[in-house]
């Protein structure tokens, strides 16, 4: 018996979630830095919503639109003070379609 293997990526399912942006009030901020730490660089690869990226100056920036509020960035960088993370205001942020 042969079974077909389907490869499913998180990014392919993100479109089912909705996100209500709170203009001018991002719930995640990256603190200013000259050179990103290894943990900040890791966020550019492991954030499931791809909210972190390197800019032209080699610094990590965040765009919290689309953030799934999974806490990955908090685990890696909040204790060191490299990011400031707060829950979005009520009614804003991710709206999961299936739970």
């Amino acid at each position: 018996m042969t079974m077909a293997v389907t490869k499913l990526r998180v990014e392919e399912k993100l479109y089912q979630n909705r996100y209500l942006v709170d203009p001018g009030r991002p719930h995640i901020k990256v603190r200013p830095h000259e050179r990103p730490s290894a943990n900040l660089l890791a966020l550019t690869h492991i954030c499931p919503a791809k909210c972190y990226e390197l800019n032209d100056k080699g610094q990590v920036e965040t765009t919290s639109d689309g953030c799934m509020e999974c806490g990955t960035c908090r685990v890696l960088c909040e204790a060191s003070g490299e990011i400031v993370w707060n829950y979005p205001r009520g009614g804003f942020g991710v709206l999961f379609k299936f739970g």
Side-chain angles (χ1 to χ4, degrees):
M1 175 188 258
T2 305
M3 295 184 74
V5 176
T6 304
K7 234 180 180 182
L8 190 60
R9 295 170 22 109
V10 171
E11 293 85 3
E12 294 169 0
K13 291 294 183 180
L14 286 178
Y15 74 92
Q16 295 184 12
N17 297 329
R18 298 294 175 256
Y19 192 86
L20 187 57
V21 177
D22 193 359
R25 299 181 99 178
H27 70 282
I28 305 170
K29 295 180 185 174
V30 176
R31 292 197 187 255
H33 56 280
E34 289 187 26
R35 245 185 278 155
S37 69
N39 283 353
L40 271 178
L41 286 174
L43 286 178
T44 64
H45 299 289
I46 64 174
C47 174
K50 305 292 185 214
C51 292
Y52 295 86
E53 61 183 22
L54 282 174
N55 66 16
D56 295 338
K57 298 176 184 177
Q59 298 173 328
V60 175
E61 294 181 331
T62 185
T63 304
S64 59
D65 303 357
C67 173
M68 296 188 328
E69 300 168 30
C70 66
T72 301
C73 58
R74 292 182 75 184
V75 170
L76 280 178
C77 297
E78 189 177 40
S80 65
E82 295 174 290
I83 65 165
V84 176
W85 196 101
N86 294 295
Y87 285 103
R89 289 189 311 151
F92 293 95
V94 69
L95 306 167
F96 293 105
K97 186 173 182 179
F98 296 110

